[in-house]
Amino acid sequence: MRILSITTSLSEDSTTLKLSNKIIAAATSAADAADLSAETEHINVRNLSSDLTDMALTGFRSDNLEVAFAQVAAADVIVTVAPVYKVAPVGLHTLFWQLIDEKALANKPVLIGSTGGTPRHSLAGETVLRPMLSYLKGIVVPTTIFAATDDWGSIEGGRSLNARIAQASEELIGLAASLHGVGTGSDAGAAGETAGAATATTTTGEFGRRGAQRNPSIDDEFNPELITPFAQLLEG
């Protein structure tokens, strides 16, 4: 399992980078506990600032961006962490996701983390990043992680932060294992077959005609042959 962290750390020793490292360590530990082999990679969006600006202005994708986007495509699990400024994640971080291919995160589990001065910014990841990453077809885990200044400066805050990290990391690895059909023994194989049978659907095709049995695909929403006409919907 390849775990990729995409972090916008604006300094060499930022709390954003510290949070990213803690999440990666917890995710790796969760993978080990599930008997999964995990490899980790890191991207600091700060190092791509000029490349992202050039692409936004000219549409030209540099070699550095090609490599970064290819890493996202090859990853099995994504952890994305950004600092929050004035109620929103820093623009450099969101620009990375705005310029990547539309289906870059298709069927990939994603964990959102963010840092800020006060807990008042704790919903920034939910309100800005979750819709954006969902638009890119990522599957964002329920728990997001926000770390305020107090979380680093007190024992109680540190314990609470570690608990949130552990919970989100377990959700992330559990989702990844489920999506990739990871399990043990014949029970896992039987479960996979059952899941496949349960998700298989009979397509209706144009105007409701029955088609072949198939598994749902992320491309279905773009396939005009699988769209039920509005007039037919009104008929009940």
Side-chain angles (χ1 to χ4, degrees):
M1 178 181 296
R2 186 173 299 174
I3 304 174
L4 174 64
S5 71
I6 300 171
T7 306
T8 302
S9 175
L10 301 181
S11 64
E12 295 297 331
D13 190 28
S14 66
T15 55
T16 303
L17 184 59
K18 291 179 181 178
L19 178 61
S20 177
N21 290 338
K22 286 175 73 70
I23 295 173
I24 291 296
T28 302
S29 178
D32 291 340
D35 293 327
L36 299 174
S37 176
E39 300 177 2
T40 61
E41 294 182 328
H42 305 269
I43 294 175
N44 189 347
V45 181
R46 172 191 179 189
N47 299 328
L48 300 171
S49 56
S50 298
D51 303 272
L52 289 169
T53 303
D54 289 344
M55 183 176 175
L57 296 176
T58 67
F60 175 75
R61 184 181 293 185
S62 68
D63 292 340
N64 289 334
L65 283 181
E66 290 284 4
V67 171
F69 291 165
Q71 284 181 275
V72 174
D76 299 306
V77 170
I78 301 292
V79 173
T80 181
V81 186
V84 174
Y85 288 92
K86 297 182 179 178
V87 200
V90 66
L92 183 61
H93 190 82
T94 57
L95 184 59
F96 178 90
W97 294 117
Q98 288 169 326
L99 295 180
I100 203 168
D101 295 335
E102 190 169 301
K103 297 181 184 179
L105 297 179
N107 295 325
K108 295 183 189 295
V110 182
L111 189 158
I112 297 173
S114 55
T115 59
T118 71
R120 290 178 295 176
H121 300 307
S122 60
L123 292 179
E126 293 283 356
T127 58
V128 178
L129 288 177
R130 184 179 290 272
M132 182 180 295
L133 298 172
S134 296
Y135 177 79
L136 295 172
K137 315 304 179 189
I139 307 175
V140 184
V141 298
T143 302
T144 60
I145 303 170
F146 179 81
T149 301
D150 290 345
D151 290 320
W152 303 102
S154 67
I155 295 177
E156 182 179 353
R159 288 175 178 169
S160 176
L161 175 60
N162 289 336
R164 297 195 300 274
I165 291 174
Q167 177 178 340
S169 298
E170 290 173 2
E171 292 173 2
L172 184 71
I173 299 304
L175 177 59
S178 176
L179 288 173
H180 292 281
V182 177
T184 58
S186 58
D187 291 342
E193 292 175 3
T194 302
T199 57
T201 59
T202 301
T203 61
T204 58
E206 189 177 6
F207 302 111
R209 291 196 297 270
R210 290 180 65 84
Q213 195 169 33
R214 59 189 299 281
N215 289 320
S217 166
I218 197 168
D219 294 318
D220 287 353
E221 64 180 282
F222 302 106
N223 188 345
E225 294 185 359
L226 301 179
I227 297 175
T228 303
F230 187 64
Q232 184 175 336
L233 292 173
L234 292 178
E235 293 175 0

